[in-house]
Amino acid sequence: MCFIGHGIFGVITKEIWCNYFGVFGIGREMAYSLMPLVGWIDIGMGVMMLVYPIAALPAWLVFWGFITAMLRPLSGEPVAEWIERAGNYGAPLAFLCFTGPWSARQLFQRTGAKVVTDRQRLEATGWILRSVVYLLVAGHGWLNLIGKPGILLQYARLGFTAPSIVAAYVGWFEICLAFLVLFRPYRPLVLALFFWKAGSELFYPQFGWLEWIERGGSYGAILALWALSPFGTGKLRELATVLRHSLRRRHNLQ
C-alpha cells in the first residue's frame, strides 16, 4: 500500500512534490518530468511485493520511507510531518526484524511464511512496533496541536464550527493515547486505535483515498502490534515455547 499509494501520487504529479525535489536543487520543470518515473518505480515495487516478495524490498522501503519522510521538514514543513510518517519506514523495519536475520544472498530470495520462535526477536519486534505506533500517533497529535491547515479543513468539512478547538482536543487525546500504547499496549486499546487511525485518514480534503492507501504502513504496524500485544514482553517466552512445541508436533506427524 505504501509503495502503490506513493507511486500514484508521482504518476499524477502531486504539486507539493516540487518542494521535495527542490531540496536537491531540482527545479519545477524537471521535478514534474521525474515524478511519473519515481511513481511507476514505486508502483512496480509495490506490485512485486504482492506477487513475488523478496526481503530487499522492505529493506529498500525502510531507507526510501525514511528519506521521503525527512524531505518534509527539510523542505520547510513541521518536523511532526516526518514523525507522523513513522509507519512508512517503521513497519518494514519491524517486518525485517520479525522475519530475519537475512544474509546478503537471502535478501534477493523469495520470502515465505515463517513461524518465529525466538523470544528475543519477538520482543525486539514488539518494541519496534510500539515505538512506531507511538511516533505515528503522537506525530498526528502534534500536527493537530499546531493547527495544520489540512486537518483544520477536515474538521470544518465535517461540520465543526470551531475546528481549531477540536484539533486541540484531538491532539492532546492522541498524544496521551500514544504514550499509553507505548507502555501498555492492551489489545482492545490497540484495536480501537486501528479503527480510529484508519477511519480518520479517510477525511483528507484532497486525494482522500490515495492518502489513505499511502498510509498503509501505519495501519499495518497497528495491526501487527495488536497481534503481539496479548503476549506482552513478559509472556513472549511462553509464546515461543508454544510455537516450538507446535513445530515439533507438526514435524513428528510428517
Side-chain angles (χ1 to χ4, degrees):
M1 290 176 69
C2 290
F3 270 129
I4 294 174
H6 193 263
I8 293 174
F9 278 132
V11 172
I12 65 176
T13 61
K14 191 176 182 181
E15 183 180 4
I16 198 171
W17 278 29
C18 293
N19 298 342
Y20 311 144
F21 280 98
V23 174
F24 301 100
I26 299 174
R28 291 179 64 87
E29 184 176 349
M30 179 62 71
Y32 276 115
S33 300
L34 292 175
M35 284 183 205
L37 175 62
V38 173
W40 282 117
I41 291 174
D42 277 356
I43 292 173
M45 288 188 172
V47 172
M48 186 176 178
M49 190 69 189
L50 287 173
V51 300
Y52 194 84
I54 59 175
L57 289 176
W60 166 254
L61 187 54
V62 173
F63 170 78
W64 183 243
F66 184 86
I67 293 298
T68 54
M70 273 298 297
L71 289 177
R72 296 178 178 275
L74 290 176
S75 64
E77 296 181 22
V79 176
E81 293 283 1
W82 168 66
I83 296 174
E84 194 256 345
R85 284 166 175 77
N88 292 4
Y89 47 88
L93 179 62
F95 174 84
L96 290 173
C97 178
F98 186 74
T99 57
W102 301 95
S103 66
R105 178 180 297 180
Q106 289 173 327
L107 284 175
F108 297 95
Q109 295 177 353
R110 183 168 184 169
T111 61
K114 291 186 177 182
V115 178
V116 179
T117 61
D118 186 341
R119 180 176 61 88
Q120 290 183 338
R121 194 186 308 173
L122 288 170
E123 288 183 349
T125 303
W127 276 108
I128 290 174
L129 290 171
R130 288 191 192 193
S131 302
V132 169
V133 174
Y134 164 77
L135 289 172
L136 66 90
V137 177
H140 193 264
W142 187 358
L143 290 172
N144 272 272
L145 290 178
I146 64 178
K148 180 181 177 179
I151 292 178
L152 297 181
L153 183 57
Q154 287 181 42
Y155 298 145
R157 290 190 174 184
L158 288 172
F160 292 103
T161 56
S164 59
I165 296 177
V166 175
Y169 279 113
V170 172
W172 284 116
F173 168 75
E174 289 189 333
I175 289 175
C176 292
L177 186 61
F179 276 103
L180 186 58
V181 170
L182 178 63
F183 295 108
R184 288 291 184 271
Y186 297 113
R187 199 176 198 206
L189 174 66
V190 177
L191 185 60
L193 175 60
F194 167 76
F195 286 111
W196 169 268
K197 185 65 176 174
S200 61
E201 296 290 356
L202 288 172
F203 299 108
Y204 271 85
Q206 287 184 311
F207 311 112
W209 279 103
L210 292 181
E211 294 281 3
W212 189 88
I213 292 172
E214 188 194 19
R215 284 163 174 77
S218 299
Y219 321 135
I222 297 172
L223 279 180
L225 180 60
W226 173 79
L228 289 179
S229 59
F231 307 103
T233 56
K235 296 185 179 180
L236 287 176
R237 185 187 301 274
E238 290 86 344
L239 172 61
T241 302
V242 169
L243 291 173
R244 280 195 294 268
H245 288 327
S246 176
L247 286 177
R248 287 171 185 166
R249 285 196 299 269
R250 184 185 303 176
H251 178 74
N252 292 334
L253 289 174
Q254 292 175 349

